Amino acid sequence: MNRKKSMALFLSLMLIAGLLTGCGQQKETVPQTPDPAPAPAPAPAENDDSIHVSTLQELLDAIGPEAVITLEPGVYDIAPGEVPFSEYWYFGMDRELVITYVSDLTIRASEAGAAELRINNPYCAVLELEQCSNVVLEGLVMGHDVEKGQCAGNVLNLDHCDRITLNRMDLYGCGAYGVHADAVTGLQVNDSVIRECTYGIAEFYSSSGLSFNDCRFKDNNGYSMLWGSSCQAEFNRCTFSGNTLNESGDSFSCTGNSGSFIKMNSCSFGKDETEMIAMGEPDRAVVFDSSCTFDGDLTASTVRVNSVRQLLDSIGPGAVIYVEPGVYDLTDFIRTSNIDFFNQNHNFVSIDETYGGYEITVKYVQGLSIIGAGEDPADVELTSDWDYAHVLGFVSCTDVNLANMTMGHTVTGECYGPVVKYSYVYGAAISNMDLYGCGVEGFLAQESTCVAAYETTIRECSYGFATMWQDADTYADYQFIHCIFKDNEGGLYNDPITTVYFYNCMFGDDEINWNLYQSNVTVDYIGNYTAVYELDYYGEYLPDVEPEYFDFTYDLDPVPFDTDTFADTDWYAFTVTNSETWEGRYTETGEIFHLRFHADGTYAYDDSYGGSTAGSWAVFDAYSMQADQMDCCLYSMYGDEQDLYLWVKLGEEEFWMKQPEG
């Protein structure tokens, strides 16, 4: 494993250490490297029916629903004109241009980087979108024409909007922030630059479904690079360079409810950014995955170990331990050790006797990280063969982190010890782990809070995948993000004062049979409530395809999911079954409910009771897709020789749907 990947794994652990934001920000500077010129926008086709404009007034006149506006090359200075407002835009108190209550609007440059929206007022945004939906900005340059450091207005403000897309944009200072999002759902920023802003790169409030893809952030300076409150944002393959902070600044921070997080995937950070991340306090809501790279050292307190003895000897406050690939049999080590001598000579780890065996417990440690040094979790495995013992436990610890390893019991049948156990722990993270049975559960947490699991599989446990409980009347919360729970003999068990959050997780058939919708459990997909049902993990069929009362004309087979199948299509329920009683019946076409899917990833739903909703849908894996706003996961199609069918589960009811004939 190279040095950059090792540092990335460490940071993944350090800053994931409790993705629960209720429990848990920092600064940078990097070598100056010129950004490549934005890719040119495609030349308008001969039948281009967009509105071509070359002045600000022409731009204003063209703004409205479903308008496609192409800006010819030039600088568009934003200033109030003779007409101060219209139905779809107005000039705000500080002269900023506000586009309001517009849907399906596109504003693009005829050549990427050749059309610039500019303002010379340091107190207002260059552009604000208010109560807008499905708006695309493409190929534009936007910024303030004022002295650097004087801005209090952002470049782009988004206020109560949904489905906003920025393609090949160049947002420059002295804007306070490049992007400010307040109550926004569904923002995509692709192949864009945010540079030279004087407060930071972006800030988010009460927003979800935010993604920045293949973007460059350079030479920004201010109070925080990224700041969020009650937000959910992902940065994919982005580059951070030349960014600096003032003395009181924080580089990356996300606060608010326990659903908040900022996730960095395959991003690169320059030298100064790396130094500030390493020097700052970890923000548990900011997660750096193992494919991120850093130009510099994240920590000097790292050790590499290749035996159980070395691993246990290295445990202590602030230690970052990389475990070399291999199988680490903890019970074999214990059987060959002088237990009394070991316990007398170790302050932070002990071998404790339990019913029928022994277990290893880490105690009184703050800031400990244990990271598998292999390419994936299967390369490093910690095992125990005592069924009453946990594999690894933590007592009275703070900010303890496990990453990139496999852990479990090598015995089969019923277990009475969990894989990982937390007692009186504040702040713990499990990242990119594989926890397997026969552990009674993947992890047990008692009198603990701020515990998070990210991209972790918990499988084959003999009771359930997790248990959390509190004796005292003390609030506690837990968070699972991008996790998989399969083949466990049960689900989640938590007491009434423990709050649990799930974000984009996958549940097997057994795991879903517990009360997912109890008041202190939130299951979320892109900011909305969605339970995820699973096709026996990777695609073998699951529900009873043909209920007793109904026979399909032909044999059905699972059909790999094809997004195009759901582009601009209608589906009507024609049969419904109660999954508890297996009572079923035919329905009239559309009697129960009707789904309309759109190619842009949105859908509409209505039923016979007058209910309706709308939201977004997305492919989940090869055999399934998800829809937000609905408490279900929609499985991919089953097909016979003639038709395709959609199987949907809503609560206790299962529906078969088909497209209308003709």
Side-chain angles (χ1 to χ4, degrees), residues 25-338:
Q25 196 176 63
Q26 200 143 209
K27 169 165 190 133
E28 341 165 357
T29 293
V30 157
Q32 305 286 327
T33 56
D35 283 311
E46 292 183 3
N47 61 351
D48 180 13
D49 58 356
S50 67
I51 304 169
H52 286 253
V53 303
S54 57
T55 68
L56 177 66
Q57 190 59 54
E58 291 176 347
L59 168 61
L60 298 177
D61 292 342
I63 292 173
E66 300 184 0
V68 178
I69 305 171
T70 299
L71 276 63
E72 297 297 342
V75 175
Y76 297 73
D77 283 306
I78 296 176
E82 295 180 3
V83 180
F85 61 89
S86 78
E87 183 179 359
Y88 301 114
W89 59 266
Y90 64 91
F91 286 102
M93 183 179 298
D94 291 320
R95 301 193 313 174
E96 68 268 23
L97 173 59
V98 181
I99 299 176
T100 183
Y101 290 97
V102 173
S103 60
D104 304 308
L105 169 67
T106 297
I107 302 176
R108 68 191 186 194
S110 60
E111 301 176 25
E116 179 178 353
L117 300 181
R118 186 176 67 182
I119 196 167
N120 64 5
N121 186 334
Y123 299 105
C124 64
V126 179
L127 178 64
E128 180 170 334
L129 302 181
E130 174 188 74
Q131 299 282 356
C132 293
S133 64
N134 198 24
V135 174
V136 177
L137 303 179
E138 185 167 288
L140 304 175
V141 179
M142 295 172 55
H144 290 78
D145 182 26
V146 298
E147 183 180 350
K148 198 173 184 68
Q150 300 300 312
C151 274
N154 304 307
V155 181
L156 177 63
N157 278 350
L158 304 174
D159 183 10
H160 288 78
C161 296
D162 69 276
R163 289 174 292 147
I164 306 299
T165 302
L166 310 180
N167 294 327
R168 299 189 299 279
M169 298 287 287
D170 182 357
L171 309 182
Y172 67 88
C174 72
Y177 287 96
V179 174
H180 167 95
D182 187 357
V184 171
T185 301
L187 167 67
Q188 285 197 18
V189 184
N190 305 311
D191 191 19
S192 296
V193 177
I194 297 178
R195 56 185 172 89
E196 302 170 12
C197 292
T198 54
Y199 280 25
I201 295 167
E203 61 176 353
F204 316 121
Y205 295 87
S206 302
S207 297
S208 62
L210 313 179
S211 67
F212 291 73
N213 310 299
D214 304 294
C215 295
R216 283 89 63 204
F217 310 108
K218 55 178 293 184
D219 303 331
N220 300 284
N221 172 267
Y223 299 104
S224 59
M225 289 300 100
L226 294 172
W227 190 88
S229 175
S230 301
C231 70
Q232 299 169 15
E234 292 199 7
F235 289 74
N236 304 303
R237 303 172 304 280
C238 294
T239 300
F240 297 77
S241 64
N243 300 291
T244 59
L245 296 175
N246 60 31
E247 292 182 358
S248 60
D250 297 302
S251 60
F252 305 102
S253 179
C254 188
T255 63
N257 61 47
S258 290
S260 296
F261 63 85
I262 294 176
K263 177 71 169 59
M264 301 288 180
N265 303 308
S266 302
C267 294
S268 63
F269 300 86
K271 183 177 180 180
D272 291 333
E273 286 90 347
T274 302
E275 288 181 358
M276 285 178 284
I277 292 169
M279 291 174 60
E281 291 294 327
D283 187 327
R284 297 181 181 86
V286 181
V287 185
F288 297 74
D289 81 345
S290 60
S291 58
C292 289
T293 59
F294 303 86
D295 183 8
D297 290 326
L298 290 174
T299 179
S301 59
T302 61
V303 295
R304 304 185 75 90
V305 301
N306 57 20
S307 69
V308 176
R309 166 68 70 180
Q310 291 178 353
L311 168 62
L312 301 183
D313 287 349
S314 301
I315 289 174
V320 179
I321 305 170
Y322 286 99
V323 185
E324 298 289 359
V327 176
Y328 294 76
D329 187 334
L330 303 181
T331 53
D332 182 65
F333 171 80
I334 294 172
R335 289 189 180 104
T336 59
S337 298
N338 183 324

Side-chain angles (χ1 to χ4, degrees), residues 371-392:
I371 306 165
E375 294 296 323
D376 56 57
D379 293 337
V380 177
E381 183 173 2
L382 275 60
T383 67
S384 170
D385 63 10
W386 281 309
D387 54 5
Y388 277 84
H390 57 243
V391 179
L392 192 60

Side-chain angles (χ1 to χ4, degrees), residues 5 32-33 198 215 225 315 369 413 434 501 528 564 589 618 653:
K5 183 161 187 179
Q32 305 286 327
T33 56
T198 54
C215 295
M225 289 300 100
I315 289 174
S369 294
D434 181 5
Y501 298 83
N528 300 287
D564 293 338
T589 300
E653 292 185 314

